[in-house]
Amino acid sequence: MTRSRLSSSKTGDATYGSSRMGETEKEQLHAIGQRLRTTFTTVKSLLPQLQEQEIFLNAFENARQRFDLWAVNLGLYTSGHSSLEYRLGDAPLIYIYALQALTDLQRYLDIISQDLQQKSKDKVTPAGLSGQTKVADTLDEPSGGDLDDSDEEEFESYQDSSLTETALENVNGIIDSLYRLSFKIRNPATRLGFSKAQKYREIDNETGVDLIQIFADFDRQHIEEVFRELRKGQEPKDAKEHYLVERLAKANTRRRQQFKQWRTHRIKIEAISNTAEDFDFLIPSSKTAEMAQAPVSEGMLASGQPAPSMPSTATRLDPAVVTLDDTTSIISTSTSTGLEDDLNSDDSASAAAADDSERHREDDSDALAFSDEERRPSEAVYGVDYNDVGNRLDDLDPYELTPDKRQLHDDWNVVHNPKLPRELNIDLEHSILHDSVVSCVRFSSDSLWVAVGFKLSALIYEVETGREIFNFTMDDTDEEIYVRGVSFDTEVVHLAVGAEDKLIRVFHIETGALIITLAGHKEDIYDVDFITNSSLLLSGSGDRTVRLWDIQTGAEKLKRTLSDGVTSVAHSPDGKFFAACCLDRTATIWDLAGTGLKRLSGTEGHTDSIYGIAFSPDGQSIVTASLDKTLKLWDLKGQLERVIEHFLTSDCSFSGAVRTLTGHKDFVLNAVFTKDGSWVISNSKDRGIQFWNPTTGDAALRINAHKNSVVQIDTSPTGNLFATVSGDKSLKIWRYTWTARKEYLVSLISETH
């Protein structure tokens, strides 16, 4: 790690300049804090051995208590969201400033410790014994060769002033700098000065008047009235002249300015990112009317927005605790002495924080000594307790994980489950932005192309280059509609496009010609799917029907009606079966003759609408994704064949094993298997993408990349690719690869077979 030397005078006034970030390694601040705490304790234990150092002992203890107070209050000893590390995560220059200060503080404490140890040895070592090493010898010599006589005298006089006292002056100078830094971190006025709120203006459209300035006058009048009320019975004094009036009024105006800027920014972000305004991936159902009649909960407006909060102690002046003539500062160095008992009391919040940091204390060398397989699952590395994680990978901050458990990039990251050996690497191949929300995605059977749907159009991209090669626009409608489903036929000759205008359009890919339009659905079409090696096309609609079409003739071959809107359809890899999921929390499997074989529901079924369904590559399992925030794996081994063989069509209840995968924090909108069935990939309204092991039910990793709901996902039939589309108007094409260890295990398994 590159460290810059402390520039200080004999008064101990430390100043720090800018540092090139490329030359400074981002060391964990809480680890440095723990080392400093240990060094302070070590030096304190050495001082009583030297009776002549009693004055120095008091001065050092004062410095130690000041530093401990600073460290506890700013979270230096802790990790996680309450830590100084987290506070400075988005402020690299301040981070480096603090890092340099703490590093130099450690250096001067080491000098004091070594000097005191040397003096302790001198008390018990006979004079004249050779081979002694002076602490001064460990200091850097001035550059430029030998010292001349004047330099030597000056250096000797410097040494005569006591090396430990000089180092302590520098320690106090650094602590002073850290306190100045704490004001920069905590002071609201400072934060306002570096934010957009300082420049925020609220201009009235009719008069052109800045309402913030008008409010400022009212704020001042309000504070003056409060002061006059509080000063009743005291000496008459004009409240307008009191220094606190100006300060409090200005603070209230700035708070108002900050809150209004936050509100404006929130509205702006919602207008950009809220899919409900531009594209509603939630499919209407009969439940909508019920929800509209539901009573409004306490603390909520009828619109569903949070009700305004009631006044709190932060917005009211309490006369009992206001001292109008108090002109002293809130924090001073004099108040830091004598706080030893307060810091060590059992019921002290700062002591609790310090004790917590001790429990999570780590040794970097020990942490790195464990491999993935050897690391104990209960070990808290970088402040993360692995036992509390489970599959809720969204709870993990990637910056708190060890490097082998994360992948960090400019606008996306991957969190690998810290409880499991890492088996995968994720790479982003292409990220393509569009003018509207991207609502669906599907790979071609040869994995060379990927199709997406959005407003009034469907596009095909070349997977290798990310280049747009075909654009199919619905010129035959004037409605503002979205394409909700796309599908290639097996030969990659045709592209089927299902839309919200209740029609299915089939295009010839090479020519772009509209081959046929399939009409019959009464509501929006939400999914389409070509049956393997055939001209048959499945479709599902909000009209509660699943239909099977022949695109060669345009005939409707089959129609099955369910109890609520159909959200997704899928077919088995061998083309013998098809399935559909529904808003009524069930999914159903049929054969191509339309015989209902199995209904996936019951006590182990979903508790809310199912939005995604897919067969495994071997056809022996189905995965479903639901608004109940879970995925479910349904074991079909032998069940479909047994039903057909015994003609048990009257009993469609599911009797196989069901595994529930829980970990997403919001609606799970879709789920698919990878081409070899090793993984299930899910996407959610919580903006995350997760890989799941279908055998164990563990979440292996989570990808955080989209800035809005991840609406749909698809995997390539022939490669390690998958694609995601989102309400943030983007298509992202990804590649997953095995780690070296996993590749080795896979090769061993393949050799044995």
Side-chain angles (χ1 to χ4, degrees), residues 4 6 13-19 21 24 29 70 84 88 91-105 173-182 184-185:
S4 61
L6 176 67
D13 185 16
T15 58
Y16 295 89
S18 61
S19 174
M21 292 185 62
T24 305
L29 291 182
W70 179 88
L84 181 62
L88 304 182
L93 294 181
I94 298 179
Y95 186 100
I96 290 176
Y97 182 97
L99 181 62
Q100 290 175 343
L102 295 174
T103 301
D104 286 321
L105 181 60
I174 294 171
I175 295 174
D176 288 342
S177 296
L178 292 175
Y179 269 90
R180 286 192 291 271
L181 178 65
S182 68
K184 295 291 184 183
I185 295 173

Side-chain angles (χ1 to χ4, degrees), residues 240-257:
K240 295 182 179 180
E241 298 179 0
H242 201 288
Y243 74 98
L244 277 180
V245 170
E246 180 68 24
R247 291 176 62 181
L248 291 174
K250 191 173 182 180
N252 283 353
T253 302
R254 284 188 170 180
R255 285 187 67 194
R256 187 191 305 278
Q257 191 177 21

